[in-house]
Amino acid sequence: MTEKITFAPISYTGWGSLSYLTEEVQRFGAQKVLIITDPFLKDLGLTYRVEEPLAALGITTELYTEVVPEPPLAVGEKLVAYTREHAFDLVIGLGGGSALDLAKLAGALAVHDGKVADYLNLTGSKKVSKKGLPTILITTTSGTGSEITNISVLSLETTKDVVAHDYLLADVAIIDPELTLSLPAKVTAATGIDALTHAVEAYISKNASPVSDALALQAIRLISNSLRTAVFEGSNKQARTDMSYGSYLAGLAFFNAGVAGVHALAYPLGGQFHIAHGDSNAVLLPYVMGYIRQSCEKRMKDIYDAMGFSSMNLSQEEASYKCVDELKRLVSDVNIPSTLKGFNIGEEALEGLTEDATKQTRILARSPLTLEKEDIFAIYKSAFDGVIVEK
């Protein structure tokens, strides 16, 4: 069996890696650069760390801050049109997953015709067919993995869809943990559980390989042992560094192995209730894993060990139960609501959520347990009640 393993062409990781930005911009010969970023990063003054060194080289930069969490399709359409109109020769994304996803979209579709909607995975009729503008992605969170994946996620009326192609891969990814120091505890928690979910789902994915397994398990080790500290001691350099590397490895793992049931059920939560993606994954993670537990007991035993516990005297079944318990405990410990009720979602919403989740066939196909409509409803009901149930 042969496997395709894909990484972004160049990644700079570690404390202070932002310093490589200028040489990479110069390598592309860029003179007019579009910087797409979260508006609060401009308010924090963080954007100047990108703008000023480029200005010193005589490079023109333009800041685009019309970025919102869980960006709707209309936001993507507006940005792509803007990028096409203004003849930029390089795109920089700075921020969390939303800013980076939009930057990938702008860079790739700037050289294509038609609307963004034409390129959506589930409903589009066009394909990304050629390399777009050079793109540099700089993450300021430890969680989404967007800086090293080839998809851009957009919110539709009640769910989400993606534009996906290897031409959306960044030419350069910069993962500098120093940029995460100002991240609020709530965002640290949500993006951290998002990264953990990437690693867990990559490890149990039907598309997992020895390469993705190694990446996923190390990501689980780093994240599980540093997330609580990063949330409650945000200036802790070691915790921020471990989370940064953990998120990066988790991103590489899920990019190559894929995510599954948690993400499929999380997308409608974001689409219908505008819950942040990390929170959506977090509230569902223990319930999905509990429901599918019997289909991946051995792998959940491995996850339990990677989280820092010992399964030496436990059976696979016992360890898998404990794994679910520890995932639920970690979500609770970082103060993310542990039920759908905690996000003010009523029981009457479960049918609609289920309908939209069943449409995520691309993601559901990777689950080790086939999830039919009744299974998906049972998981949502489980997450609503706060009681883990099994298939």
Side-chain angles (χ1 to χ4, degrees), residues 332-361:
S332 176
D333 284 353
V334 295
N335 295 329
I336 296 175
S338 58
T339 68
L340 295 182
K341 293 177 187 175
F343 289 98
N344 298 315
I345 295 174
E347 189 169 4
E348 70 280 357
L350 303 187
E351 287 284 358
L353 289 169
T354 300
E355 286 293 334
D356 281 344
T358 60
K359 299 173 185 176
Q360 298 297 330
T361 53

Side-chain angles (χ1 to χ4, degrees), residues 73 76-77 80 84 105 109 114-120 154 163:
L73 176 60
E77 297 281 13
V80 168
R84 290 171 178 169
L105 193 71
L109 295 189
K115 292 185 173 296
V116 175
D118 297 332
Y119 296 88
L120 291 174
L154 296 164
V163 177

Side-chain angles (χ1 to χ4, degrees), residues 48-304:
Y48 291 109
R49 297 193 59 181
V50 172
E51 293 174 283
E52 287 183 349
L54 297 183
L57 296 173
I59 296 170
T60 300
T61 62
E62 187 162 332
L63 207 59
Y64 189 97
T65 61
E66 294 184 43
V67 173
V68 296
E70 316 298 316
L73 176 60
V75 171
E77 297 281 13
K78 184 176 181 180
L79 170 60
V80 168
Y82 183 87
T83 309
R84 290 171 178 169
E85 290 167 7
H86 289 81
F88 297 103
D89 48 24
L90 185 142
V91 174
I92 293 176
L94 172 69
S98 297
L100 303 188
D101 276 11
L102 288 171
K104 287 187 285 189
L105 193 71
L109 295 189
V111 300
H112 290 74
D113 60 9
K115 292 185 173 296
V116 175
D118 297 332
Y119 296 88
L120 291 174
N121 176 69
L122 295 177
T123 59
S125 58
K126 292 179 178 289
K127 301 293 183 184
V128 178
S129 60
K130 53 188 172 182
K131 184 77 172 72
L133 301 177
T135 305
I136 298 175
L137 301 182
I138 307 166
T139 182
T140 61
T141 68
S142 295
T144 70
S146 179
E147 68 278 4
I148 40 84
T149 64
N150 69 349
I151 64 173
S152 177
V153 183
L154 296 164
S155 295
L156 307 181
E157 285 188 11
T158 60
T159 186
K160 296 184 180 183
D161 201 352
V162 303
V163 177
H165 193 280
D166 280 355
Y167 285 148
L168 271 76
L169 277 172
D171 294 281
V172 179
I174 297 177
I175 302 94
D176 187 341
E178 186 178 1
L179 300 178
T180 69
L181 286 175
S182 59
L183 203 63
K186 187 177 186 301
V187 182
T188 300
T191 56
I193 296 293
D194 189 18
L196 181 65
T197 304
H198 292 154
V200 168
E201 291 212 284
Y203 192 66
I204 64 163
S205 169
K206 290 170 72 172
N207 294 343
S209 71
V211 174
S212 65
D213 286 350
L215 295 166
L217 288 175
Q218 181 62 3
I220 292 166
R221 292 184 191 102
L222 289 167
I223 295 166
S224 298
N225 289 284
S226 59
L227 179 56
R228 292 176 178 89
T229 303
V231 169
F232 297 109
E233 301 173 30
S235 60
N236 187 299
K237 182 176 179 179
Q238 189 60 55
R240 290 294 191 182
T241 298
D242 287 349
M243 284 300 302
S244 181
Y245 276 108
S247 172
Y248 174 65
L249 293 172
L252 292 175
F254 95 81
F255 179 36
N256 285 284
V259 288
V262 179
H263 277 72
L265 273 67
Y267 278 178
L269 288 181
Q272 293 187 30
F273 294 96
H274 308 293
I275 299 171
H277 180 61
D279 286 332
S280 297
N281 277 332
V283 70
L284 291 168
L285 177 61
Y287 300 104
V288 173
M289 296 304 296
Y291 191 83
I292 69 171
R293 184 196 59 78
Q294 294 182 66
S295 68
C296 50
E297 283 184 352
K298 170 62 171 66
R299 296 222 151 212
M300 290 184 68
K301 181 176 184 287
D302 296 340
I303 293 169
Y304 180 69

